[in-house]
CSV table of all heavy atoms in Angstrom, one decimal:
chain,number,residue,atom,x,y,z
A,1,ALA,N,0.8,-1.2,0.0
A,1,ALA,CA,0.0,0.0,0.0
A,1,ALA,C,0.9,1.3,0.0
A,1,ALA,O,0.6,2.2,-0.7
A,1,ALA,CB,-0.9,0.0,1.2
A,2,ALA,N,2.0,1.2,0.7
A,2,ALA,CA,2.8,2.4,0.8
A,2,ALA,C,3.6,2.6,-0.5
A,2,ALA,O,4.1,3.7,-0.7
A,2,ALA,CB,3.8,2.2,2.0
A,3,MET,N,3.8,1.6,-1.3
A,3,MET,CA,4.5,1.7,-2.5
A,3,MET,C,3.8,2.6,-3.5
A,3,MET,O,4.4,3.2,-4.4
A,3,MET,CB,4.8,0.3,-3.1
A,3,MET,CG,5.8,-0.4,-2.3
A,3,MET,SD,6.0,-2.1,-2.9
A,3,MET,CE,7.1,-1.9,-4.3
A,4,ASN,N,2.4,2.6,-3.4
A,4,ASN,CA,1.6,3.5,-4.3
A,4,ASN,C,1.9,3.3,-5.8
A,4,ASN,O,2.0,4.2,-6.5
A,4,ASN,CB,1.8,4.9,-3.9
A,4,ASN,CG,0.6,5.8,-4.3
A,4,ASN,OD1,-0.5,5.3,-4.5
A,4,ASN,ND2,0.9,7.0,-4.5
A,5,ARG,N,2.1,2.0,-6.2
A,5,ARG,CA,2.3,1.7,-7.6
A,5,ARG,C,1.9,0.2,-7.8
A,5,ARG,O,1.8,-0.5,-6.8
A,5,ARG,CB,3.8,1.9,-8.0
A,5,ARG,CG,4.7,0.9,-7.4
A,5,ARG,CD,6.1,0.9,-8.0
A,5,ARG,NE,7.0,0.0,-7.4
A,5,ARG,CZ,7.2,-1.3,-7.6
A,5,ARG,NH1,6.4,-1.9,-8.4
A,5,ARG,NH2,8.1,-2.0,-7.0
A,6,PRO,N,1.6,-0.2,-9.0
A,6,PRO,CA,1.3,-1.6,-9.2
A,6,PRO,C,2.4,-2.5,-8.8
A,6,PRO,O,3.6,-2.2,-9.1
A,6,PRO,CB,1.0,-1.6,-10.8
A,6,PRO,CG,0.8,-0.2,-11.2
A,6,PRO,CD,1.5,0.6,-10.2
A,7,VAL,N,2.1,-3.6,-8.2
A,7,VAL,CA,3.1,-4.6,-7.8
A,7,VAL,C,2.7,-5.9,-8.3
A,7,VAL,O,1.5,-6.3,-8.2
A,7,VAL,CB,3.1,-4.6,-6.2
A,7,VAL,CG1,4.2,-5.6,-5.8
A,7,VAL,CG2,3.4,-3.2,-5.7
A,8,SER,N,3.7,-6.6,-8.9
A,8,SER,CA,3.4,-8.0,-9.4
A,8,SER,C,3.3,-9.0,-8.3
A,8,SER,O,3.8,-8.8,-7.2
A,8,SER,CB,4.5,-8.4,-10.4
A,8,SER,OG,5.7,-8.7,-9.7
A,9,ILE,N,2.6,-10.1,-8.6
A,9,ILE,CA,2.5,-11.2,-7.7
A,9,ILE,C,3.9,-11.7,-7.3
A,9,ILE,O,4.1,-12.0,-6.1
A,9,ILE,CB,1.6,-12.3,-8.2
A,9,ILE,CG1,0.2,-11.8,-8.4
A,9,ILE,CG2,1.7,-13.5,-7.4
A,9,ILE,CD1,-0.7,-12.8,-9.1
A,10,ALA,N,4.8,-11.8,-8.3
A,10,ALA,CA,6.2,-12.2,-8.0
A,10,ALA,C,6.8,-11.3,-6.9
A,10,ALA,O,7.5,-11.8,-6.0
A,10,ALA,CB,7.0,-12.3,-9.3
A,11,GLU,N,6.6,-10.0,-7.1
A,11,GLU,CA,7.2,-9.0,-6.1
A,11,GLU,C,6.6,-9.3,-4.7
A,11,GLU,O,7.3,-9.2,-3.7
A,11,GLU,CB,7.0,-7.6,-6.5
A,11,GLU,CG,7.8,-7.1,-7.7
A,11,GLU,CD,7.4,-5.7,-8.1
A,11,GLU,OE1,6.4,-5.5,-8.7
A,11,GLU,OE2,8.2,-4.8,-7.7
A,12,VAL,N,5.3,-9.5,-4.7
A,12,VAL,CA,4.7,-9.7,-3.4
A,12,VAL,C,5.2,-11.0,-2.7
A,12,VAL,O,5.4,-11.0,-1.5
A,12,VAL,CB,3.1,-9.7,-3.6
A,12,VAL,CG1,2.4,-10.2,-2.3
A,12,VAL,CG2,2.6,-8.4,-4.0
A,13,LEU,N,5.4,-12.0,-3.5
A,13,LEU,CA,5.9,-13.3,-3.0
A,13,LEU,C,7.3,-13.1,-2.4
A,13,LEU,O,7.7,-13.7,-1.4
A,13,LEU,CB,5.8,-14.4,-4.0
A,13,LEU,CG,4.4,-14.8,-4.4
A,13,LEU,CD1,4.4,-15.8,-5.5
A,13,LEU,CD2,3.6,-15.4,-3.1
A,14,GLU,N,8.1,-12.3,-3.2
A,14,GLU,CA,9.5,-12.1,-2.7
A,14,GLU,C,9.4,-11.3,-1.4
A,14,GLU,O,10.2,-11.6,-0.4
A,14,GLU,CB,10.3,-11.3,-3.7
A,14,GLU,CG,10.7,-12.1,-4.9
A,14,GLU,CD,11.5,-11.3,-5.9
A,14,GLU,OE1,12.0,-10.2,-5.6
A,14,GLU,OE2,11.6,-11.7,-7.1
A,15,MET,N,8.6,-10.3,-1.3
A,15,MET,CA,8.4,-9.5,-0.1
A,15,MET,C,8.0,-10.4,1.1
A,15,MET,O,8.5,-10.3,2.2
A,15,MET,CB,7.4,-8.4,-0.3
A,15,MET,CG,7.9,-7.2,-1.0
A,15,MET,SD,6.6,-5.9,-1.0
A,15,MET,CE,6.3,-5.8,-2.8
A,16,GLN,N,7.0,-11.3,0.8
A,16,GLN,CA,6.5,-12.2,1.8
A,16,GLN,C,7.7,-13.0,2.4
A,16,GLN,O,7.8,-13.2,3.6
A,16,GLN,CB,5.4,-13.1,1.2
A,16,GLN,CG,4.8,-14.0,2.2
A,16,GLN,CD,5.4,-15.4,2.2
A,16,GLN,OE1,6.1,-15.8,1.3
A,16,GLN,NE2,5.2,-16.1,3.3
A,17,ARG,N,8.5,-13.6,1.5
A,17,ARG,CA,9.6,-14.4,1.9
A,17,ARG,C,10.6,-13.5,2.8
A,17,ARG,O,11.0,-13.9,3.9
A,17,ARG,CB,10.4,-15.0,0.7
A,17,ARG,CG,11.6,-15.8,1.1
A,17,ARG,CD,12.6,-16.0,0.0
A,17,ARG,NE,13.1,-14.7,-0.4
A,17,ARG,CZ,13.4,-14.3,-1.6
A,17,ARG,NH1,13.3,-15.2,-2.6
A,17,ARG,NH2,13.9,-13.1,-1.8
A,18,ASP,N,10.9,-12.3,2.3
A,18,ASP,CA,11.8,-11.5,3.0
A,18,ASP,C,11.3,-11.1,4.4
A,18,ASP,O,12.1,-11.1,5.4
A,18,ASP,CB,12.2,-10.2,2.1
A,18,ASP,CG,12.8,-10.6,0.8
A,18,ASP,OD1,13.4,-11.6,0.7
A,18,ASP,OD2,12.7,-9.7,-0.1
A,19,VAL,N,10.1,-10.7,4.4
A,19,VAL,CA,9.5,-10.3,5.7
A,19,VAL,C,9.4,-11.5,6.7
A,19,VAL,O,9.8,-11.3,7.9
A,19,VAL,CB,8.1,-9.6,5.5
A,19,VAL,CG1,7.4,-9.5,6.8
A,19,VAL,CG2,8.2,-8.3,4.8
A,20,ARG,N,9.0,-12.6,6.2
A,20,ARG,CA,8.9,-13.8,7.0
A,20,ARG,C,10.3,-14.1,7.6
A,20,ARG,O,10.4,-14.4,8.8
A,20,ARG,CB,8.4,-15.0,6.3
A,20,ARG,CG,8.4,-16.3,7.1
A,20,ARG,CD,7.7,-17.4,6.4
A,20,ARG,NE,6.4,-17.2,6.0
A,20,ARG,CZ,5.3,-17.2,6.9
A,20,ARG,NH1,5.5,-17.5,8.1
A,20,ARG,NH2,4.1,-16.9,6.5
A,21,PHE,N,11.3,-14.2,6.8
A,21,PHE,CA,12.6,-14.6,7.3
A,21,PHE,C,13.2,-13.5,8.2
A,21,PHE,O,14.0,-13.8,9.1
A,21,PHE,CB,13.6,-14.9,6.2
A,21,PHE,CG,13.3,-16.2,5.5
A,21,PHE,CD1,13.7,-16.5,4.2
A,21,PHE,CD2,12.7,-17.3,6.2
A,21,PHE,CE1,13.4,-17.7,3.6
A,21,PHE,CE2,12.5,-18.5,5.7
A,21,PHE,CZ,12.8,-18.7,4.3
A,22,ALA,N,12.9,-12.2,7.9
A,22,ALA,CA,13.4,-11.1,8.8
A,22,ALA,C,12.7,-11.2,10.2
A,22,ALA,O,13.4,-11.0,11.2
A,22,ALA,CB,13.1,-9.8,8.1
A,23,LEU,N,11.5,-11.5,10.2
A,23,LEU,CA,10.8,-11.6,11.5
A,23,LEU,C,11.0,-12.9,12.2
A,23,LEU,O,11.0,-12.9,13.4
A,23,LEU,CB,9.2,-11.4,11.3
A,23,LEU,CG,8.8,-10.0,10.8
A,23,LEU,CD1,7.3,-10.0,10.5
A,23,LEU,CD2,9.1,-8.9,11.9
A,24,TYR,N,11.0,-14.0,11.4
A,24,TYR,CA,11.1,-15.3,12.0
A,24,TYR,C,12.2,-16.1,11.3
A,24,TYR,O,11.9,-16.9,10.4
A,24,TYR,CB,9.7,-16.0,11.8
A,24,TYR,CG,8.5,-15.2,12.3
A,24,TYR,CD1,7.6,-14.7,11.4
A,24,TYR,CD2,8.4,-15.0,13.7
A,24,TYR,CE1,6.6,-13.9,11.8
A,24,TYR,CE2,7.3,-14.2,14.1
A,24,TYR,CZ,6.4,-13.7,13.2
A,24,TYR,OH,5.4,-12.9,13.6
A,25,PRO,N,13.4,-15.9,11.8
A,25,PRO,CA,14.5,-16.7,11.2
A,25,PRO,C,14.3,-18.2,11.3
A,25,PRO,O,13.7,-18.7,12.2
A,25,PRO,CB,15.7,-16.2,12.0
A,25,PRO,CG,15.3,-14.9,12.6
A,25,PRO,CD,13.8,-15.0,12.8
A,26,ALA,N,14.8,-18.9,10.3
A,26,ALA,CA,14.7,-20.3,10.2
A,26,ALA,C,16.0,-21.0,10.0
A,26,ALA,O,16.2,-21.6,8.9
A,26,ALA,CB,13.7,-20.7,9.1
A,27,PRO,N,17.0,-20.9,10.9
A,27,PRO,CA,18.3,-21.5,10.6
A,27,PRO,C,18.1,-23.0,10.5
A,27,PRO,O,17.3,-23.6,11.1
A,27,PRO,CB,19.1,-21.1,11.9
A,27,PRO,CG,18.1,-20.6,12.9
A,27,PRO,CD,16.9,-20.3,12.2
A,28,GLY,N,19.0,-23.5,9.6
A,28,GLY,CA,18.9,-25.0,9.4
A,28,GLY,C,18.1,-25.4,8.1
A,28,GLY,O,18.2,-26.5,7.7
A,29,PHE,N,17.4,-24.4,7.6
A,29,PHE,CA,16.6,-24.7,6.4
A,29,PHE,C,17.4,-24.1,5.2
A,29,PHE,O,17.9,-23.0,5.3
A,29,PHE,CB,15.2,-24.1,6.5
A,29,PHE,CG,14.3,-24.8,7.4
A,29,PHE,CD1,14.2,-24.4,8.7
A,29,PHE,CD2,13.5,-25.9,6.9
A,29,PHE,CE1,13.4,-25.1,9.6
A,29,PHE,CE2,12.7,-26.5,7.8
A,29,PHE,CZ,12.6,-26.2,9.1
A,30,ARG,N,17.5,-24.9,4.2
A,30,ARG,CA,18.3,-24.5,3.0
A,30,ARG,C,17.8,-23.2,2.4
A,30,ARG,O,18.6,-22.3,2.0
A,30,ARG,CB,18.3,-25.6,1.9
A,30,ARG,CG,19.2,-25.3,0.7
A,30,ARG,CD,19.0,-26.3,-0.4
A,30,ARG,NE,17.7,-26.4,-0.9
A,30,ARG,CZ,17.1,-25.5,-1.7
A,30,ARG,NH1,17.7,-24.5,-2.1
A,30,ARG,NH2,15.8,-25.7,-2.1
A,31,VAL,N,16.5,-23.0,2.3
A,31,VAL,CA,15.9,-21.8,1.7
A,31,VAL,C,16.4,-20.6,2.5
A,31,VAL,O,16.7,-19.5,2.0
A,31,VAL,CB,14.4,-21.9,1.6
A,31,VAL,CG1,13.8,-20.6,1.1
A,31,VAL,CG2,14.0,-23.0,0.7
A,32,TYR,N,16.3,-20.7,3.9
A,32,TYR,CA,16.7,-19.6,4.7
A,32,TYR,C,18.2,-19.3,4.6
A,32,TYR,O,18.6,-18.2,4.5
A,32,TYR,CB,16.4,-19.9,6.2
A,32,TYR,CG,16.8,-18.8,7.1
A,32,TYR,CD1,16.1,-17.6,7.2
A,32,TYR,CD2,18.0,-19.0,7.9
A,32,TYR,CE1,16.6,-16.6,8.1
A,32,TYR,CE2,18.4,-18.0,8.8
A,32,TYR,CZ,17.7,-16.8,8.9
A,32,TYR,OH,18.1,-15.8,9.7
A,33,THR,N,19.0,-20.4,4.5
A,33,THR,CA,20.5,-20.2,4.4
A,33,THR,C,20.8,-19.5,3.1
A,33,THR,O,21.6,-18.6,3.1
A,33,THR,CB,21.1,-21.6,4.4
A,33,THR,OG1,20.8,-22.3,5.6
A,33,THR,CG2,22.6,-21.4,4.4
A,34,ASP,N,20.1,-19.8,2.0
A,34,ASP,CA,20.3,-19.2,0.7
A,34,ASP,C,19.8,-17.7,0.8
A,34,ASP,O,20.5,-16.8,0.3
A,34,ASP,CB,19.5,-19.8,-0.4
A,34,ASP,CG,20.0,-21.2,-0.7
A,34,ASP,OD1,21.1,-21.5,-0.3
A,34,ASP,OD2,19.3,-22.0,-1.4
A,35,TRP,N,18.7,-17.4,1.5
A,35,TRP,CA,18.2,-16.1,1.7
A,35,TRP,C,19.2,-15.2,2.5
A,35,TRP,O,19.4,-14.1,2.2
A,35,TRP,CB,16.9,-16.1,2.4
A,35,TRP,CG,16.3,-14.7,2.6
A,35,TRP,CD1,15.7,-13.9,1.7
A,35,TRP,CD2,16.4,-14.0,3.9
A,35,TRP,NE1,15.3,-12.7,2.4
A,35,TRP,CE2,15.7,-12.8,3.7
A,35,TRP,CE3,16.9,-14.3,5.1
A,35,TRP,CZ2,15.6,-11.8,4.7
A,35,TRP,CZ3,16.8,-13.3,6.1
A,35,TRP,CH2,16.1,-12.1,5.9
A,36,GLU,N,19.8,-15.8,3.5
A,36,GLU,CA,20.8,-15.1,4.3
A,36,GLU,C,21.9,-14.5,3.5
A,36,GLU,O,22.4,-13.4,3.9
A,36,GLU,CB,21.4,-16.0,5.4
A,36,GLU,CG,20.6,-16.1,6.7
A,36,GLU,CD,21.3,-16.8,7.8
A,36,GLU,OE1,21.8,-17.9,7.5
A,36,GLU,OE2,21.4,-16.2,8.9
A,37,LYS,N,22.3,-15.2,2.5
A,37,LYS,CA,23.4,-14.7,1.6
A,37,LYS,C,23.1,-13.4,0.9
A,37,LYS,O,24.0,-12.6,0.6
A,37,LYS,CB,23.8,-15.8,0.6
A,37,LYS,CG,24.4,-17.0,1.3
A,37,LYS,CD,24.6,-18.1,0.3
A,37,LYS,CE,25.0,-19.4,0.9
A,37,LYS,NZ,25.0,-20.5,0.0
A,38,SER,N,21.9,-13.1,0.7
A,38,SER,CA,21.5,-11.9,-0.1
A,38,SER,C,20.5,-11.1,0.7
A,38,SER,O,19.8,-10.2,0.1
A,38,SER,CB,20.9,-12.3,-1.4
A,38,SER,OG,19.7,-13.0,-1.3
A,39,LYS,N,20.4,-11.3,2.0
A,39,LYS,CA,19.3,-10.6,2.8
A,39,LYS,C,19.5,-9.1,2.8
A,39,LYS,O,18.6,-8.3,2.9
A,39,LYS,CB,19.2,-11.2,4.2
A,39,LYS,CG,20.3,-10.8,5.1
A,39,LYS,CD,20.1,-11.4,6.5
A,39,LYS,CE,21.2,-11.2,7.4
A,39,LYS,NZ,21.0,-11.8,8.7
């Protein structure tokens, strides 16, 4: 809502992953480990 521009579903899904891992780290999971490298 704050972006005030059209947002694709892919962008929303990326945001969802980023917010989830930022709020609730999941060490030990490969996806989280990969995300940590580019967080």
Side-chain angles (χ1 to χ4, degrees):
M3 292 173 78
N4 201 25
R5 67 170 178 82
V7 181
S8 72
I9 293 173
E11 286 178 285
V12 171
L13 292 175
E14 285 180 18
M15 283 186 243
Q16 183 268 339
R17 181 201 61 213
D18 297 338
V19 169
R20 176 173 301 282
F21 286 153
L23 292 175
Y24 308 109
F29 288 91
R30 184 188 56 78
V31 175
Y32 177 75
T33 305
D34 293 344
W35 177 81
E36 273 190 308
K37 296 173 187 171
S38 63
K39 73 179 177 183

